[in-house]
Amino acid sequence: MTIAPTITVRRVTTTRSGGFSAPPYDSFNLGDHVGDDPAAVRRNRDRLAEGIGLPPERLVWMEQIHGRTVEIVDGPRAEPVPATDALVTTVPGLALVVLTADCVPILLSDDEAGVIAAVHAGRIGARIGIVPRVLEAMVSVGARLDRVGALLGPAASGRQYEVPAAMRADVEAHLPGSATTTVRGTPGLDLRAGISRQLTEAGVRAIAVDPRCTIEDHTLFSHRRGAPTGRIGGVIWMEAAA
């Protein structure tokens, strides 16, 4: 009798400490597009790979553009996947990385089917439907929505994410549940609340939300709190054990 391998899904969210970058990117900046020393970023990415127990070439990165393009990957990529904001794979030992500094990093998995995804969902991407697109891609390679689990990582909270009233109304019209009022009594957005509602309405049952606000928490990078700055990483991968 042949026994199918058991899949274990791993998720990691980094902070800004423990790396090699100098201020204002201090110190564990993983973004190679923010003006940091490329050598420092490379060392930080190598340290991340070492920390999760994979060779650096097994980490797949994205050229994130605040769009709704999803790429299904079946192996390592020598360069970041161009012009995409979500990655999907069924390949164990291949880590998908999303970079953020206020936007919402979403890590998705159907553990039974062996399908995972990493998603960059900022205000624009969430508004134009990156989440439904990535769910469609996951289903196309074998996932089932009622088995999908989601982790929404650290992001700008509704307490702090201040926007013009017209922008709040526009995002709410496209992503219901995201409109809020900040601690200053001004119009705000809680993208994680809107995305959580969207996932629930799509049939996703298991949704976890990291409560940390990138604007408030100085152990994390925040573009709104102070730019230029670095990027934290959300990483998801599968380990196969016989």
Side-chain angles (χ1 to χ4, degrees):
M1 180 176 64
T2 301
I3 300 175
T6 300
I7 295 294
T8 301
V9 176
R10 305 290 188 190
R11 296 174 176 85
V12 164
T13 299
T14 67
T15 66
R16 65 181 300 163
S17 64
F20 301 98
S21 296
Y25 308 103
D26 47 326
S27 63
F28 198 49
N29 166 46
L30 297 170
D32 64 355
H33 62 292
V34 294
D36 194 4
D37 176 10
V41 176
R42 189 161 51 249
R43 292 180 71 190
N44 290 339
R45 291 185 172 191
D46 287 347
R47 174 165 283 184
L48 173 63
E50 180 183 9
I52 67 174
L54 290 173
E57 62 270 17
R58 300 295 295 182
L59 276 62
V60 183
W61 307 82
M62 293 181 273
E63 180 198 10
Q64 299 168 186
I65 60 168
H66 297 275
R68 57 182 175 187
T69 300
V70 181
E71 182 89 4
I72 298 172
V73 294
D74 58 7
R77 299 291 183 94
E79 300 291 336
V81 178
T84 193
D85 285 272
L87 299 172
V88 175
T89 194
T90 59
V91 180
L94 197 65
L96 310 179
V97 188
V98 52
L99 299 176
T100 57
D102 289 331
C103 295
V104 183
I106 310 173
L107 304 176
L108 301 161
S109 69
D110 177 342
D111 296 31
E112 184 175 333
V115 181
I116 60 172
V119 188
H120 170 243
R123 173 180 56 84
I124 297 171
R127 178 193 177 280
I128 63 177
I130 184 66
V131 172
R133 285 285 184 92
V134 76
L135 293 176
E136 291 173 6
M138 292 180 73
V139 169
S140 76
V141 293
R144 210 172 72 188
L145 292 179
D146 63 342
R147 293 193 307 234
V148 170
L151 171 63
L152 279 57
S157 70
R159 300 183 302 276
Q160 301 293 343
Y161 188 3
E162 184 176 355
V163 297
M167 181 180 291
R168 178 178 69 175
D170 175 70
V171 174
E172 176 68 18
H174 292 84
L175 188 71
S178 56
T180 189
T181 301
T182 71
V183 293
R184 293 168 293 281
T186 54
L189 289 173
D190 185 344
L191 294 179
R192 288 181 291 189
I195 291 168
S196 293
R197 177 171 168 176
Q198 189 175 55
L199 287 167
T200 299
E201 292 178 349
V204 176
R205 297 176 181 175
I207 303 170
V209 180
D210 187 317
R212 289 176 293 174
C213 171
T214 49
I215 298 173
E216 295 174 345
D217 191 335
H218 287 249
T219 68
L220 305 168
F221 292 112
S222 170
H223 182 78
R224 281 196 157 229
R225 188 178 66 238
T229 192
R231 297 294 185 269
I232 61 172
V235 191
I236 186 167
W237 72 102
M238 294 181 288
E239 295 177 349

